[in-house]
Amino acid sequence: MEAGGPQPAQAEEGKGGLRTALAGLTTRGRSFLAAGVAAAICAYVLGQSDLLRVGLLLAVLPLVCATVLYRTRYRVAGSRRLSPARVPAGSEARVHLRMDNVSRLPTGLLMLQDRVPYVLGPRPRFVLDRVEAGGRREVSYRVRSDLRGRYPLGPLQLRLTDPFGMCELTRSFSTYDTLTVIPRVEALPAVRLSGEAKGYGDGRNRSLALAGEDDVIPRGYRHGDDLRRVHWRSTARYGELMVRREEQPQRARCTVLLDTRAHAFRGAGPDSAFEWAVSGTASALVHMLERGFSVRLLTDTGNSVPGEGSDGFAGASQESADAAGLMMDTLAVIDHSDGAGLSPAYDVLRGGNEGLLIAFLGDLDEEQATVAAKMRQRSGAAVAFVLDSTAWAQGPGGAPGPGEERIRMLREAGWTAVAVPPGVALVDLWKQADHMRTSSGPAPAAGTTTGGWG
């Protein structure tokens, strides 16, 4: 039996051997067979012909059902559709199953079962009545997970039974689908974002690429370009029609740093400090993309999202939704790293040209706090949300750990550093960071360019 995915796949039932059909006898079928054999033996010993007839009837009935089920040949097509295929943690997704009888014979009673991981809920089972030739049946079930990740659904299993329930054959489709559970995303309020270049919606600063006839940066001619922009010197040089690239939008950049060091976070589960940091990272990424920034996701190991450019994914464009989806898929499966420090991430940051830096950090010792403080020199502005895993492990109201000293070090270096107590929503801390930046927050570090909050 072949499986269904987005395209229906066909499967032919009854292709097992007769031994397979006999192995599919149900408890009822085996009981009938055993009772028939026992009755036949007793009839032979006692010389009772009527009892022998009863025994033969009991023994033959399950064998006939198994033989008929074995010889029944029809083709069934199955497909599965997820709605949606990417769902935030704690939300429900609906799985739609469709079975088509593409043979000329009607089916018997069908029992449909789909395999799902235990974290998504119980295994769904459905009983389908007789499906006429060319008919179809559609059923659906819901799945839900509080834990992010990628979960396989399938393969789909189809059980065929006879009308008397004597025999049952199970066939499995071959393919499966994947449900992606992404981190929870909170809608963040808009704050004033400034700098040399703003994201779309705040205005655009453009840099002229044409400073003179010798400094022109040409590109190939595209259909619809104004012929007055043709640069003839470059056209003669390259042998094809070239036009002036006169003006180019300069996007604001934003790097979101996620600390994934295993020893920087304690505890596990949907309410742990690490899951809060992952959810906060996802919220910040989506928010900055919606503001039109070129956003990059960076981890403590120095790794970025596969497929993004050097400046990150561009927001306020047709590709922004795909960029957000790709980063959400990355965060859905991100886990703790074995890294010992933040130095790899510091090396990736370019000196003084990163724009806005938003960091979600775990426990920091003095050495790592020093490294994080130096990151401020490589960004236009920097905002850090520092989680104290000791307090998070104790729950709301727990005693704070030694993180206040580290936060003070970050603030002295020019960071807008906010402590993250257990159970506090990111929206409140986002507003707190904005208030600190615009009112009593520390001034930017000397020699840096203002380019973030405030």
Side-chain angles (χ1 to χ4, degrees):
M1 176 180 291
E2 298 178 357
Q7 298 295 330
Q10 296 183 354
E12 184 174 346
E13 296 290 350
K15 281 194 171 182
L18 185 58
R19 181 180 300 178
T20 303
L22 294 177
L25 289 175
T26 61
T27 302
R28 179 185 300 178
R30 296 176 186 273
S31 300
F32 268 65
L33 182 61
V37 172
I41 294 176
C42 293
Y44 176 78
V45 173
L46 300 177
Q48 297 292 329
S49 58
D50 293 337
L51 184 59
L52 179 61
R53 296 189 187 96
V54 174
L56 292 176
L57 177 61
L58 293 175
V60 169
L61 181 59
L63 298 178
V64 171
C65 291
T67 302
V68 172
L69 196 63
Y70 160 71
R71 295 180 63 85
T72 300
R73 298 178 181 273
Y74 55 86
R75 299 183 66 83
V76 176
S79 62
R80 181 190 297 105
R81 178 172 57 87
L82 304 181
S83 178
R86 184 188 292 116
V87 62
S91 301
E92 291 184 344
R94 182 168 290 274
V95 183
H96 300 269
L97 303 177
R98 172 176 166 178
M99 302 299 298
D100 294 88
N101 182 12
V102 296
S103 65
R104 299 180 180 179
L105 299 176
T107 69
L109 188 67
L110 301 178
M111 289 187 292
L112 194 63
Q113 177 177 278
D114 205 7
R115 291 185 178 181
V116 299
Y118 72 93
V119 296
L120 297 182
R123 181 172 296 182
R125 295 181 175 89
F126 305 94
V127 177
L128 305 181
D129 295 331
R130 179 177 178 271
V131 183
E132 66 279 4
R136 72 177 59 170
R137 296 290 186 272
E138 295 184 4
V139 294
S140 64
Y141 64 93
R142 294 176 297 178
V143 291
R144 179 181 180 275
S145 175
D146 292 329
L147 299 175
R148 56 185 176 82
R150 294 174 61 88
Y151 301 101
L153 300 178
L156 193 64
Q157 290 183 333
L158 191 64
R159 293 184 180 180
L160 175 65
T161 61
D162 64 279
F164 301 100
M166 297 291 180
C167 186
E168 181 180 283
L169 295 181
T170 302
R171 295 291 183 267
S172 296
F173 290 81
S174 60
T175 61
Y176 60 89
D177 293 282
T178 301
L179 175 68
T180 303
V181 180
I182 63 176
R184 295 184 181 93
V185 176
E186 298 184 45
L188 301 178
V191 297
R192 182 186 175 191
L193 301 170
S194 62
E196 293 181 354
K198 301 181 178 69
Y200 296 138
D202 286 327
R204 312 180 199 180
N205 290 339
R206 297 175 178 268
S207 59
L208 293 178
L210 179 61
E213 194 71 16
D214 296 330
D215 297 328
V216 68
I217 303 178
R219 61 169 175 83
Y221 175 82
R222 299 171 186 170
H223 179 71
D225 285 339
D226 191 349
L227 292 178
R228 290 174 297 181
R229 294 175 54 192
V230 174
H231 190 254
W232 297 109
R233 181 178 300 178
S234 299
T235 299
R237 178 180 178 183
Y238 293 101
E240 59 178 328
L241 203 58
M242 307 292 290
V243 296
R244 295 183 179 91
R245 194 196 309 249
E246 296 179 351
E247 198 174 63
Q248 223 173 358
Q250 183 180 1
R251 290 185 182 273
R253 288 187 295 270
C254 175
T255 298
V256 181
L257 172 63
L258 174 61
D259 184 6
T260 63
R261 295 172 298 143
H263 63 271
F265 296 93
R266 299 180 184 177
D271 297 328
S272 63
F274 182 68
E275 292 303 320
W276 192 97
V278 174
S279 177
T281 301
S283 303
L285 288 170
V286 173
H287 178 75
M288 301 308 294
L289 276 174
E290 291 175 350
R291 297 296 303 274
F293 279 66
S294 294
V295 182
R296 176 173 60 173
L297 171 61
L298 185 65
T299 65
D300 58 289
T301 60
N303 296 327
S304 301
V305 177
E308 68 178 4
S310 59
D311 291 335
F313 290 107
S317 63
Q318 295 181 353
E319 294 81 11
S320 60
D322 296 335
L326 182 57
M327 287 189 286
M328 292 302 104
D329 290 344
T330 301
L331 291 176
V333 297
I334 200 167
D335 202 355
H336 292 292
S337 69
D338 298 329
L342 302 173
S343 297
Y346 172 75
D347 296 336
V348 173
L349 298 176
R350 296 171 301 204
N353 197 27
E354 284 299 322
L356 177 61
L357 175 61
I358 304 176
F360 293 85
L361 305 174
D363 292 337
L364 298 174
D365 54 23
E366 184 175 357
E367 179 182 358
Q368 300 310 314
T370 303
V371 175
K374 292 191 297 183
M375 292 182 182
R376 174 63 180 87
Q377 303 173 2
R378 297 196 170 189
S379 63
V383 181
F385 298 93
V386 184
L387 292 90
D388 187 346
S389 63
T390 302
W392 275 80
Q394 297 174 356
E404 289 296 330
E405 179 65 23
R406 313 306 180 209
I407 293 178
R408 185 186 62 82
M409 293 177 59
L410 295 179
R411 290 174 178 173
E412 290 179 352
W415 283 81
T416 302
V418 180
V420 182
V424 179
L426 176 61
V427 175
D428 299 332
L429 299 177
W430 191 265
K431 296 178 181 178
Q432 178 182 347
D434 180 36
H435 178 72
M436 293 174 58
R437 185 70 182 174
T438 56
S439 59
S440 59
T448 60
T449 303
T450 301
W453 250 279

